[in-house]
């Protein structure tokens, strides 16, 4: 079916309300409408080719239109697309649950399915709260971080800390205690963090945990506050939080939705800190960027608190129509197999080094105020005045203007405000990486 590109553009503006988008501005501009993909490349409806430098919002792993991933869906489709898991089961969901517990940090033995990262967090919050109730304790407060992002449903927003996104809904949200963002609190310059201030932050958490008996859980993004503009934690922060939460018998929820599936160089970031949380939330890369699927993984200890006779009504009353969808689980299984077959993580090491090397070039650019990296995730912060660290006014959309220049040169970018994000599919070649980085460098230089 060939539809006239002009008609598509018109209908898009007339009927499609886009997420995180000022529609007045969107409707005044020319936008990208993608039609097909292959490997790290995307083509728009006018036939123009782009490198997908943000992995289609951080979820694509092994490239678009991957033969093995396609086949997994086609094979499953011949059997059945969806069967409910509310009290019954299906083959790919069982196999995937088993596989995930094999590759996750030891102790995470239980898998609860949902569709998106926000739901995975929402489920962890409800489970953690419910866990204490089933144990006969009334706890109600969560400890979170300023600048946190865990998704856009009300529970996930409650534990979020980005005022621009979350401030509007304040009256609808439940209570949390917010500690400062470790990166912003401890930042010196260009990715360097002060260690004394880290100790100070950990001390504040310790005092809180000592003083309060009503804390349900500490909720953290794992390794980096990605949506806030790629703000990494100091090394060791997560480990300290894990030790403190254990000591004070508080649960730890780690949100690996952005960092999971290789983005930081290991399958999950928490491996790098030698940490097993009580809950690990996964989404984005779980299906290699193919279908919406998320999971909340937890421990035997949490699981067992929900066991009882039917009449005791201790069970977790939560589920979604598509929980454990057969097609999504099939492609997630294939995604994990491709990690092994293509040695994705082994090959990524050299690419992370290349990224580290090439990011150094950006520091000298007039409008670059900071450069941050964790593994294969990077953020380049644009500023109006470098010496004074003065940002561009919000309405100027400096980041977006740079992104548009990249589009013109065949690189698909989407910034976080004025932070240019590099989140390339793990499968990208060094040649394409260099192309993306060259284009971004030139586009910032031209500001
Ligand atoms: C993207 C993201 C989410 C939300 O996931 P959705 O699938 O968009 O709901 C949650 N947490 C983190 C860390 C994320 O990056």
């Amino acid at each position: 079916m060939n539809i006239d590109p002009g008609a598509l553009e018109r209908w898009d503006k007339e009927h499609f309300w886009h997420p995180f988008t000022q529609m007045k501005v969107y409707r005044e501009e020319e936008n990208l409408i993608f039609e097909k993909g292959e490997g790290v490349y995307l083509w728009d409806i006018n036939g123009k080719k782009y490198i997908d430098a943000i992995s289609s919002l951080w979820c694509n792993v092994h490239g678009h239109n991957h033969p093995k991933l396609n086949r997994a869906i086609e094979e499953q489709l011949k059997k059945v697309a969806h069967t409910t898991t509310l009290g019954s089961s299906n083959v790919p969901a069982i196999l995937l649950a088993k596989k995930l517990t094999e590759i996750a940090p030891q102790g995470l033995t239980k898998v609860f399915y949902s569709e998106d990262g926000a739901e995975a967090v929402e489920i962890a919050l409800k489970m953690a709260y419910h866990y204490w109730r089933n144990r006969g304790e009334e706890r109600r407060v969560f400890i979170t971080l300023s600048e946190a992002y865990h998704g856009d449903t009300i529970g996930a927003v409650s534990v979020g800390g980005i005022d621009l996104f979350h401030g509007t809904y304040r009256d609808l949200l439940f209570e949390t205690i917010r500690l400062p963002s470790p990166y912003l609190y401890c930042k010196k310059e260009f990715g360097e963090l002060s260690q004394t201030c880290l100790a100070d932050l950990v001390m504040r958490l310790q005092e809180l945990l000592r003083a309060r008996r009503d804390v349900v859980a500490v909720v953290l993004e794992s390794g980096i506050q990605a949506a806030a503009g790629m703000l990494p934690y100091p090394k060791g922060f997560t480990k300290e939080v894990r030790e403190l939460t254990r000591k004070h018998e508080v649960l730890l929820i780690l949100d690996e939705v952005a960092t999971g599936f290789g983005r930081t160089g290991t399958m999950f970031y928490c491996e790098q800190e030698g940490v097993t949380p009580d809950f690990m939330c996964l989404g984005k890369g779980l299906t290699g960027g193919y279908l919406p699927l998320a999971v909340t993984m937890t421990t035997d200890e949490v699981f067992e608190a929900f066991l009882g006779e039917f009449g005791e009504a201790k069970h977790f009353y939560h589920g979604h129509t598509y929980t454990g969808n057969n097609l999504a689980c099939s492609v997630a299984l294939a995604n994990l197999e491709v990690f092994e077959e293509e040695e994705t993580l082994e090959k990524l090491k050299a690419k992370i080094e290349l990224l580290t090397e090439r990011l150094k070039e950006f520091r000298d650019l007039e409008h670059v105020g900071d450069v941050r990296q964790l593994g294969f995730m990077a953020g380049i912060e644009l500023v109006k005045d470098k010496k004074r660290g003065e940002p561009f006014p919000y309405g100027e959309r400096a980041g977006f203007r740079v992104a548009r220049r990249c589009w013109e040169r065949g690189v698909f970018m989407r910034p976080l405000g004025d932070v240019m994000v590099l989140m390339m599919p793990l499968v990208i070649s060094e040649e394409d990486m260099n192309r993306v980085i060259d284009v971004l460098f030139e586009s910032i230089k031209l500001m």
Side-chain angles (χ1 to χ4, degrees):
M1 189 172 63
N2 262 329
I3 300 169
D4 164 43
L8 282 171
E9 280 159 18
R10 240 179 12 259
W11 298 336
D12 180 38
K13 289 177 178 176
E14 237 166 79
H15 304 297
F16 189 170
W17 188 345
H18 289 261
F20 277 99
T21 302
Q22 176 43 262
M23 292 306 293
K24 176 180 183 293
V25 176
Y26 183 88
R27 289 166 60 150
E28 288 161 5
E29 290 177 338
E30 256 190 70
N31 306 292
L32 296 180
I33 304 176
F34 292 115
E35 190 170 39
K36 60 177 190 168
E38 177 83 47
V40 300
Y41 309 118
L42 294 170
W43 284 264
D44 71 14
I45 50 172
N46 300 308
K48 185 171 160 64
K49 181 180 169 184
Y50 305 82
I51 302 177
D52 184 357
I54 52 154
S55 301
S56 289
L57 221 89
W58 316 356
C59 60
N60 193 280
V61 179
H62 306 296
H64 298 278
N65 228 327
H66 190 288
K68 176 152 180 147
L69 301 189
N70 290 6
R71 208 176 320 119
I73 294 177
E74 286 157 14
E75 292 297 317
Q76 181 58 41
L77 199 51
K78 285 183 206 149
K79 295 175 190 153
V80 64
H82 178 71
T83 57
T84 182
T85 56
L86 274 67
S88 48
S89 203
N90 77 57
V91 179
I94 297 170
L95 296 177
L96 179 61
K98 176 171 179 292
K99 181 76 191 170
L100 285 170
T101 59
E102 285 164 11
I103 64 169
Q106 211 176 4
L108 294 171
T109 51
K110 300 288 183 281
V111 174
F112 196 99
Y113 288 108
S114 56
E115 289 74 57
D116 292 283
E119 288 175 80
V121 171
E122 200 85 30
I123 287 162
L125 299 173
K126 284 178 72 181
M127 264 185 191
Y129 180 84
H130 198 156
Y131 166 82
W132 293 114
R133 298 215 143 215
N134 278 352
R135 292 187 31 153
E137 283 190 47
E138 303 249 330
R139 301 192 182 196
R140 58 182 312 265
V141 83
F142 290 86
I143 296 179
T144 61
L145 294 179
S146 189
E147 305 308 318
Y149 180 80
H150 297 286
D152 298 322
T153 54
I154 288 296
V157 168
S158 293
V159 293
I162 301 180
D163 279 336
L164 181 67
F165 301 165
H166 303 150
T168 315
Y169 307 105
R170 198 162 293 133
D171 285 351
L172 299 179
L173 309 180
F174 57 73
E175 183 195 345
T176 65
I177 303 172
R178 253 193 234 172
L179 288 170
S181 154
Y183 187 87
L184 297 183
Y185 192 63
C186 300
K187 177 186 166 183
K188 287 197 297 194
E189 56 179 34
F190 281 116
E192 285 197 27
L193 295 171
S194 142
Q195 284 301 317
T196 45
C197 115
L198 171 62
D200 186 46
L201 190 60
V202 170
M203 188 96 80
R204 282 174 69 169
L205 175 62
Q206 183 166 22
E207 274 160 19
L208 259 178
L209 291 175
R210 265 206 203 117
R212 299 194 63 138
R213 300 261 42 109
D214 60 345
V215 179
V216 176
V218 175
V219 188
L220 297 181
E221 283 159 272
S222 197
I224 186 167
Q225 297 190 297
M230 300 291 163
L231 309 175
Y233 301 145
K235 186 108 185 110
F237 175 68
T238 311
K239 200 174 168 68
E240 298 256 20
V241 174
R242 175 70 286 190
E243 279 164 16
L244 283 177
T245 47
R246 273 215 205 291
K247 186 167 158 211
H248 294 274
E249 294 185 355
V250 162
L251 298 167
L252 174 63
I253 299 173
L254 279 188
D255 177 351
E256 289 253 2
V257 172
T259 47
F261 305 99
R263 294 282 164 200
T264 69
T266 47
M267 193 56 102
F268 308 108
Y269 172 77
C270 56
E271 293 169 35
Q272 294 180 31
E273 300 258 338
V275 158
T276 300
D278 298 292
F279 297 90
M280 181 164 81
C281 306
L282 299 172
K284 290 197 169 100
L286 173 56
T287 59
Y290 264 59
L291 286 172
L293 184 71
V295 297
T296 308
M297 296 188 72
T298 190
T299 59
D300 286 344
E301 192 187 330
V302 169
F303 180 79
E304 279 158 18
F306 289 78
L307 301 181
E309 295 310 319
F310 195 89
E312 290 178 77
K314 277 176 151 185
H315 41 301
F316 191 49
Y317 291 97
H318 184 113
H320 299 277
T321 309
Y322 287 101
T323 294
N325 172 260
N326 314 48
L327 287 174
C329 290
S330 301
V331 73
L333 268 171
N335 173 46
L336 295 175
E337 282 167 22
V338 175
F339 266 99
E340 290 169 21
E341 287 167 16
E342 298 187 1
E343 302 182 323
T344 310
L345 293 179
E346 289 74 13
K347 290 177 187 161
L348 187 62
K349 288 194 184 88
K351 297 178 208 178
I352 291 176
E353 279 170 28
L354 174 64
L355 181 62
T356 308
E357 250 340 278
R358 296 237 34 205
L359 283 173
K360 290 178 186 159
E361 297 164 24
F362 287 81
R363 296 181 176 199
D364 299 328
L365 284 174
E366 191 192 337
H367 288 295
V368 171
D370 198 8
V371 179
R372 304 182 280 264
Q373 181 191 8
L374 177 68
F376 210 45
M377 303 165 74
I380 296 164
E381 186 168 338
L382 308 176
V383 288
K384 185 164 186 170
D385 187 317
K386 187 169 183 141
K387 271 207 196 75
R388 288 184 290 155
E390 183 194 336
F392 285 100
Y394 180 67
E396 270 189 28
R397 296 207 300 162
F400 187 73
R401 281 187 285 119
V402 170
R404 262 198 191 272
R405 249 179 245 131
C406 294
W407 299 359
E408 283 159 20
R409 294 168 171 78
V411 171
F412 178 48
M413 299 278 292
R414 179 174 167 87
L416 291 160
D418 287 344
V419 177
M420 304 311 297
V421 172
L422 285 173
M423 274 278 241
M424 297 167 276
L426 306 190
V427 74
I428 195 169
S429 67
E430 295 199 359
E431 189 187 340
D432 282 330
M433 269 183 79
N434 280 321
R435 170 89 193 134
V436 166
I437 294 166
D438 289 343
V439 165
L440 180 58
F441 187 87
E442 286 305 316
S443 303
I444 297 176
K445 205 172 160 185
L446 280 172
M447 285 186 83

